[in-house]
């Protein structure tokens, strides 16, 4: 298993799901840099929430919008460009939400983590976290709130349809997720109950 793919709409709290498995000893952390972090106080206190590389059109690691027109090798060049170490690489992209059949078909040996919240909850949380002022990743290419709402709706449709289409597992917390992914649990200070966080996580 070379990759763990993660898909979630903006505001789905997918970054918190990633953060709470990221420091497993099995994960390649070399995509981490201070420039690839974002702190916000939406949970009620200032916390580091965004960690490591994000892959999407218009972002630092620019994925082509016509994802399915590209070969596995050319896409892996983009993914791997964020890393220099060893271990399993977490590849997170909002755009995966509408290309999940392609991801499953192209990397059948790699799990996909789907993170879902209702559309309004996603948009409200994303705005609360900083909306277009979020410094990493950069959302400027999304244009305006009306367009962002449409993006969230489309990506959530893709996630829900795939969660129904493929037999999946539904962890209740980050330690269950780590077990399902076959990686060591993160350090004890990383604890996340998905029900308390109002997120639905599925591994397909």
């Amino acid at each position: 298993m070379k990759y763990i793919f993660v898909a979630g709409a903006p505001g789905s709290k997918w970054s918190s799901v990633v953060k709470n498995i990221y420091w497993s000893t099995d994960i390649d952390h070399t995509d981490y840099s201070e420039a690839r972090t974002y702190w916000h106080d939406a949970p009620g206190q200032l916390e580091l929430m965004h960690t490591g590389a994000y892959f999407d059109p218009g972002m630092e690691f620019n994925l082509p919008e016509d994802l399915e027109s590209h070969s596995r090798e050319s896409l892996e060049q983009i993914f791997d460009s964020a890393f220099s170490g060893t271990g399993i690489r977490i590849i997170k992209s909002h755009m995966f939400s509408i290309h999940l059949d392609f991801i499953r078909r192209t990397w059948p040996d790699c799990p996909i983590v789907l993170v879902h919240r209702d559309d309004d909850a996603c948009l409200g949380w994303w705005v609360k976290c900083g909306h277009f002022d979020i410094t990493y990743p950069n959302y400027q290419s999304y244009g305006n709130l009306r367009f962002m709402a449409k993006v969230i709706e489309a990506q959530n449709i893709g996630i829900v349809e795939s969660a129904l289409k493929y037999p999946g597992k539904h962890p209740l917390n980050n330690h269950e997720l780590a077990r399902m992914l076959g990686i060591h649990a993160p350090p004890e200070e990383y604890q996340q109950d998905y029900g308390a966080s109002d997120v639905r996580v599925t591994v397909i």
Side-chain angles (χ1 to χ4, degrees):
M1 177 173 67
K2 183 176 183 180
Y3 303 118
I4 294 170
F5 293 101
V6 184
S12 63
K13 297 188 178 181
W14 71 322
S15 292
S16 68
V17 172
V18 171
K19 182 187 76 169
N20 286 300
I21 61 168
Y22 183 77
W23 295 108
S24 166
T25 55
D26 296 303
I27 299 300
D28 185 345
H29 308 128
T30 54
D31 64 329
Y32 179 90
S33 71
E34 289 299 319
R36 294 182 191 140
T37 62
Y38 179 66
W39 296 69
H40 66 73
D41 60 1
Q45 60 186 18
L46 190 65
E47 293 184 23
L48 175 60
M49 299 304 293
H50 294 180
T51 302
Y54 287 71
F55 299 81
D56 257 325
M59 294 188 179
E60 180 188 7
F61 296 97
N62 186 33
L63 281 183
E65 292 192 20
D66 58 339
L67 196 68
E68 299 184 27
S69 299
H70 295 261
S71 69
R72 171 175 172 153
E73 291 73 22
S74 65
L75 292 172
E76 288 194 4
Q77 283 186 340
I78 298 173
F79 300 152
D80 293 342
S81 67
F83 301 88
S84 59
T86 60
I88 300 165
R89 296 173 172 180
I90 296 178
I91 310 297
K92 49 189 182 290
S93 173
H94 295 304
M95 192 175 67
F96 290 159
S97 303
I98 56 173
H99 294 285
L100 289 165
D101 289 338
F102 172 74
I103 300 297
R104 287 263 304 185
R105 184 170 66 249
T106 308
W107 292 274
D109 57 331
C110 296
I112 306 172
V113 179
L114 308 178
V115 184
H116 179 259
R117 300 177 77 213
D118 293 340
D119 296 349
D120 288 346
C122 283
L123 184 62
W125 185 254
W126 181 77
V127 168
K128 189 174 183 180
C129 291
H131 53 94
F132 293 107
D133 293 330
I134 293 171
T135 55
Y136 193 85
N138 188 324
Y139 287 98
Q140 295 300 318
S141 64
Y142 285 67
N144 56 60
L145 280 179
R146 186 182 299 274
F147 183 71
M148 178 59 84
K150 291 180 179 179
V151 167
I152 288 170
E153 180 182 14
Q155 292 180 355
N156 272 336
I157 287 171
I159 285 171
V160 170
E161 287 180 348
S162 292
L164 292 172
K165 180 176 182 179
Y166 297 109
K169 299 177 181 178
H170 305 280
L172 299 178
N173 56 61
N174 63 315
H175 287 262
E176 283 191 11
L177 176 59
R179 285 197 296 274
M180 290 176 184
L181 295 172
I183 62 175
H184 286 91
E188 280 301 313
E189 61 263 34
Y190 293 96
Q191 301 284 341
Q192 185 179 22
D193 180 287
Y194 298 143
S197 295
D198 183 34
V199 294
R200 292 181 286 280
V201 178
T202 305
V203 182
I204 61 173

